[in-house]
Amino acid sequence: MTPLLDIRGYRLAFDGFEGRAEVLDGIDLAVQPGETVGIVGETGCGKSVLARSIARLVEMPPGRVLGGSIAFEGQDVFAMDGRALARLRGHGVAMIFQDPMTYLNPVFSIGSQMVDVIRAHDRAEGRSMRARPAARTRAAELLAAVRLPEPDRLLDRYPHELSGGMRQRVLIAMALSGEPRMLVADEPTTALDVTIQAQVLRLIAELVATRGLTLLLISHDLGVIGALCRRVVVMYAGTVVEDADAGLLFDRPRHPYTRGLLAAVPDLARPDHRVAGIPGHIPNLLAPPGGCRFHPRCPLAIPRCAAEKPGLRDVDGRRVACHRAEEAA
Ligand SMILES: Nc1ncnc2c1ncn2[C@@H]1O[C@H](COP(=O)(O)OP(=O)(O)OP(=O)(O)O)[C@@H](O)[C@H]1O
Ligand code: SF4
Ligand SMILES: [Mg+2]
């Protein structure tokens, strides 16, 4: 089966005042249609820049692709012209982010913004643009689909009149308006209260199931990932270190970093959760450590780890990037 998303050897850097930061260092990740994949890792490990890269949303410059490729439905994302890109962003992969307010315009009503988005998708799909009243009817249907009450009244309201949870539902409704194949949700509930968080996560799970969406869910919270995803990808300092079925990963993690993350799970109840299981910090990506980027923090490090970068390989039914994966069970 052709993967829906196929990322191979993808390397991304940011050029800045202090030099070049190599923030993604050879990412390999293929996602099949219908999969639900979680990406987890500490702050700064590259989850968001990877997600944004899929829809070519990383600003270049300062970003610069150093190598590798990203294909969606077999099409090279970096070779797409404006029209193909607009189609990718509507009908291909829809994104939702942590802070919905950033993506809503405070001076226009919800309805006016949704109508514009719906008509833009018509244009991207090469259809004749529907009239505004028809687009408004569609917007109301979408608001109902994300379980917002009284959609018609809501369309006339402004973003600041809505709660954070309602705004996130509006953004999800907008994401659905292009009938995407894949939903990429980057910390979609991190900014919300715990009870609202659970409701929005349930909504995402329901939409994924009923619409057959492929899901890429990014979170630093393993509990959130475990609730929604069948497969988990663990990132560390711009690399994929483990990629496994969720059950397998939670029961028998192989990578020392994954083991550290799981050791910190009791802290997940704390909103400001830190990875307590792993001493130290992620490295400065302006001068990342050679070999395995985790070696300065790894309890199992041996001299080879500083000299040779471990590639992802199949061990015990999953992919793991560690020279000592066999011993780390
Ligand atoms: N526009 C940019 N210019 C320069 N550096 C950037 C830019 N965007 C991201 N970075 C850097 O890329 C690295 C990865 O950032 P990213 O936002 O992807 O991390 P993350 O895993 O999503 O973290 P978090 O959990 O905090 O959201 C960081 O070192 C960050 O500083
Ligand atoms: S390769 Fe070495 S340093 Fe890296 S995780 Fe494995 S044992 Fe630790
Ligand atoms: Mg992020």
Side-chain angles (χ1 to χ4, degrees):
M1 199 167 19
T2 313
L4 186 61
L5 172 68
D6 197 359
I7 303 176
R8 295 193 188 178
Y10 180 58
R11 293 174 59 224
L12 176 76
F14 286 105
D15 287 324
F17 191 59
E18 293 171 276
R20 172 170 291 181
E22 296 187 5
V23 298
L24 294 177
D25 186 33
I27 301 290
D28 285 310
L29 174 63
V31 177
Q32 300 295 339
E35 275 198 291
T36 50
V37 181
I39 300 185
V40 69
E42 277 166 288
T43 181
C45 70
K47 304 180 295 295
S48 295
V49 291
L50 180 61
R52 299 176 74 90
S53 293
I54 298 166
R56 234 170 80 187
L57 290 171
V58 175
E59 211 192 339
M60 316 245 176
R64 177 200 279 263
V65 176
L66 300 181
S69 63
I70 299 182
F72 193 83
E73 293 182 306
Q75 306 276 316
D76 178 352
V77 164
F78 292 105
M80 287 181 179
D81 60 15
R83 189 188 186 106
L85 200 56
R87 206 165 175 261
L88 171 75
R89 290 173 182 168
H91 186 58
V93 39
M95 303 245 170
I96 48 177
F97 299 98
Q98 175 169 345
D99 178 14
M101 208 53 194
T102 314
Y103 302 90
L104 291 170
N105 190 325
V107 303
F108 292 107
S109 68
I110 300 297
S112 144
Q113 296 184 59
M114 288 189 74
V115 162
D116 287 345
V117 168
I118 289 165
R119 297 178 86 224
H121 287 320
D122 284 340
R123 196 170 49 226
E125 289 295 304
R127 294 187 292 254
S128 62
M129 264 197 283
R130 69 195 93 185
R132 294 191 78 89
R136 188 181 157 102
T137 304
R138 176 74 182 131
E141 285 167 15
L142 288 164
L143 291 181
V146 297
R147 308 259 177 272
L148 280 165
E150 301 188 79
D152 251 317
R153 283 187 52 201
L154 195 59
L155 287 172
D156 293 324
R157 295 173 71 180
Y158 288 81
H160 70 267
E161 301 178 281
L162 275 53
S163 70
M166 290 169 86
R167 283 185 209 132
Q168 192 58 290
R169 283 172 196 261
V170 168
L171 263 268
I172 295 171
M174 283 187 181
L176 296 176
S177 66
E179 287 167 28
R181 297 199 64 195
M182 178 181 246
L183 182 65
V184 175
D186 187 356
E187 306 272 7
T189 60
T190 306
L192 304 175
D193 296 343
V194 178
T195 45
I196 308 294
Q197 241 181 49
Q199 290 170 12
V200 171
L201 289 174
R202 262 201 305 279
L203 171 69
I204 293 174
E206 179 199 316
L207 294 170
V208 165
T210 57
R211 293 173 182 247
L213 292 171
T214 304
L215 176 69
L216 197 63
L217 174 69
I218 291 156
S219 181
H220 61 281
D221 185 330
L222 272 165
V224 167
I225 299 276
L228 267 77
C229 300
R230 295 280 304 271
R231 175 176 161 201
V232 183
V233 171
V234 182
M235 284 183 68
Y236 181 75
T239 61
V240 171
V241 297
E242 188 157 4
D243 177 349
D245 177 79
L248 193 60
L249 188 110
F250 289 122
D251 281 355
R252 297 206 310 272
R254 278 281 185 177
H255 197 282
Y257 179 66
T258 314
R259 295 162 70 85
L261 279 183
L262 285 167
V265 162
D267 284 356
L268 285 174
R270 283 187 9 225
D272 65 335
H273 159 73
R274 286 255 152 250
V275 180
I278 312 169
H281 300 281
I282 68 157
N284 176 358
L285 297 176
L286 288 166
C292 173
R293 285 188 169 187
F294 188 55
H295 84 259
R297 297 171 75 183
C298 181
L300 298 184
I302 50 175
R304 183 185 174 198
C305 300
E308 193 187 321
K309 179 182 155 127
L312 276 173
R313 58 200 175 91
D314 293 320
V315 177
D316 184 23
R318 88 287 304 281
R319 296 192 314 152
V320 55
C322 171
H323 296 310
R324 304 189 67 188
E326 283 78 1
E327 303 151 71

